[in-house]
Amino acid sequence: MSKIRPLPPVLQKIAIGELNEDPSRIDADIETLRTWIQQQPHLRARTDDQFLVAFLRGCKYSLEKAKSKIDKFYTLRSKYPELFTLKGMDDEKIKEYLKLGVAVALPTPLNETGPRLMLMRSGSYNPSEYDFVEIMRVYQAACEISLMEDDNLIVSGYTHIMDLTDWSKEHFFQMNFNVMKKLTVFSEEAVPIRPKGFIAINSPSIFEGFYNLVKPMMSEKQVKRSVIYGTNYEKMFETIPLKYLPKEYGGENGSIPELIADFERKFMEYRDYFRESETKYGSDESLRPGKPIDFENLFGMEGSFRKLNVD
C-alpha cells in the first residue's frame, strides 16, 4: 500500500474530477512509474511514493508525460546545476537569500481550496549584492519542498503575483534571455505544478517593455493567463479578493516577516534532503539509451523562446 498523505475530501474530489485520479489505481500507477525509473540506466531519481504521486497528479495521470517530466527534471538539474541544484546547505549566503523573502507562498489558497498564491517581490533585493540566478536556485529548491508537502498546490495549481515595486533596470539586466529560457523550459516541461495565472502589480514602464518583448514568444494560453497592473488593484480584486493578500497589502493572508520565518524553518528541516539530492540524484547522458535530449530544440533556436503549451 502506498505511503502518501490522504487528501482532504474537497481536494480528493478535485483530483478525481480534474486530474483523472482513480484512488483504486494509485498504488499500481506509482509502482509502474517506479519500475520505469529503475529500468533507466541514465537516471538516478527519487522513487518514494509522495514524490512520484506529485508527478502523476501534475501530469493528470498520463504516465508518459510523468516519465518525460521526471526525466527532464533530473536531466536539466544535472546539466544546469547553477540554476536547479541547491548546493552547500550550510552556506551563509543561502541563509541570506532565505531572509530576503523574494518569493513566499501565502498560507491560504485562493477560495480556500483553489490555486496556491505565490507572492514574488522581484524588486525586494539589491542587485549589486545579490544574484538573480542564486535567488532562482533557492526558489527551485522551495518548489521541490512544495512537491513533497503542498497537496493544495499539486492538485489545484498556483497563481503567481509578482510585485515589481523598486524593480529597476539593474534587476532587468540580471534576467537575461538565456537564463529566462532555461527557467521557462524547466517550469513547463520538468516541474509537475500547473500554473493557473500570472499577475504583475506595481509594474514600471521598463517591465512592460520587457513583457512586450517576451509576449510574442509565449503560447496563447500563457498570454491569456497573464495580466499586468499598475498600482490600481481594483481589477485584480475581481480575481483575487483583498483578504487573500498578506497584511502588508491590506489583506488577511499572513504577514511577510512571519512567512519568511516559517519558510526559513521549513527549509532547514530539509537540510539532509538537499544534501542527499546534491550527491545521489541526477542524470548521466552518456548512459541514456536511444537518442540524447536535443537541448538546442528544447530551448529554441537563435536565442528565442520555443512556444510552450501549458496544461
Side-chain angles (χ1 to χ4, degrees):
M1 186 173 180
S2 63
K3 299 177 181 178
I4 62 171
R5 288 182 303 275
L7 292 175
V10 174
L11 285 183
Q12 183 65 80
K13 184 177 180 180
I14 295 171
I16 292 170
E18 297 183 14
L19 306 183
N20 305 314
E21 181 160 300
D22 181 348
S24 69
R25 284 196 48 82
I26 289 178
D27 290 358
D29 289 335
I30 289 174
E31 189 56 37
T32 297
L33 198 52
R34 179 183 292 114
T35 299
W36 174 82
I37 289 170
Q38 293 168 343
Q39 292 172 344
Q40 307 310 303
H42 69 292
L43 197 58
R44 293 172 288 113
R46 291 187 179 276
T47 57
D48 50 291
D49 293 349
Q50 199 68 53
F51 183 79
L52 295 183
V53 81
F55 277 84
L56 288 167
R57 287 170 173 162
C59 296
K60 297 185 178 180
Y61 280 83
S62 165
L63 281 168
E64 292 310 307
K65 190 170 183 178
K67 292 174 186 178
S68 176
K69 285 212 171 194
I70 289 174
D71 194 348
K72 289 187 177 73
F73 183 83
Y74 285 105
T75 298
L76 294 177
R77 283 174 48 145
S78 294
K79 188 169 180 62
Y80 305 109
E82 70 280 3
L83 267 175
F84 305 125
T85 301
L86 193 67
K87 296 183 178 182
M89 271 300 294
D90 293 321
D91 187 342
E92 289 300 315
K93 200 70 173 180
I94 288 178
K95 296 176 183 178
E96 287 185 41
Y97 282 115
L98 293 175
K99 291 182 183 298
L100 289 174
V102 174
V104 291
L106 305 187
T108 302
L110 184 62
N111 302 322
E112 276 59 50
T113 59
R116 175 69 64 195
L117 298 173
M118 311 290 289
L119 176 63
M120 203 154 191
R121 302 180 303 136
S122 299
S124 63
Y125 70 97
N126 185 340
S128 66
E129 295 182 37
Y130 300 102
D131 183 11
F132 175 74
V133 169
E134 288 294 308
I135 289 173
M136 285 297 98
R137 194 157 61 93
V138 173
Y139 175 71
Q140 296 299 340
C143 287
E144 190 166 352
I145 293 175
S146 296
L147 286 182
M148 301 300 294
E149 297 211 354
D150 193 343
D151 293 326
N152 212 106
L153 178 120
I154 295 297
V155 172
S156 296
Y158 71 95
T159 292
H160 251 140
I161 304 172
M162 180 179 285
D163 185 347
L164 291 152
T165 300
D166 297 327
W167 197 78
S168 65
K169 65 179 185 297
E170 287 76 21
H171 293 93
F172 167 77
F173 289 134
Q174 286 192 348
M175 297 172 66
N176 68 73
F177 279 104
N178 190 37
V179 169
M180 295 308 296
K181 280 192 293 185
K182 292 183 176 71
L183 290 172
T184 302
V185 170
F186 188 77
S187 173
E188 302 296 350
E189 302 210 7
V191 179
I193 303 175
R194 298 175 300 133
K196 294 294 187 177
F198 172 84
I199 294 172
I201 58 176
N202 300 317
S203 55
S205 58
I206 187 174
F207 180 80
E208 293 180 19
F210 172 75
Y211 178 75
N212 288 332
L213 191 64
V214 173
K215 188 175 178 180
M217 307 171 193
M218 299 165 61
S219 71
E220 182 179 349
K221 193 173 287 187
Q222 284 176 302
V223 172
K224 286 181 178 179
R225 290 175 174 173
S226 301
V227 185
I228 298 177
Y229 295 106
T231 56
N232 185 346
Y233 303 162
E234 292 304 315
K235 292 294 289 183
M236 180 179 69
F237 295 156
E238 295 176 9
T239 304
I240 302 177
L242 176 62
K243 72 173 186 176
Y244 292 105
L245 297 178
K247 293 177 182 178
E248 289 80 359
Y249 293 76
E252 306 168 12
N253 207 355
S255 72
I256 290 174
E258 291 171 349
L259 295 176
I260 292 173
D262 289 344
F263 179 54
E264 284 185 80
R265 284 193 292 271
K266 177 58 65 178
F267 213 91
M268 289 302 111
E269 288 175 11
Y270 272 76
R271 182 184 285 109
D272 292 340
Y273 177 97
F274 287 119
R275 284 174 177 158
E276 183 183 48
S277 293
E278 180 184 344
T279 58
K280 189 174 179 180
Y281 300 111
S283 173
D284 184 345
E285 289 304 290
S286 68
L287 299 177
R288 179 185 291 275
K291 294 182 179 179
I293 287 182
D294 185 350
F295 288 100
E296 187 176 72
N297 181 60
L298 186 63
F299 290 113
M301 302 294 289
E302 298 179 357
S304 65
F305 286 96
R306 180 167 65 82
K307 288 188 177 181
L308 295 167
N309 292 317
V310 183
D311 208 7

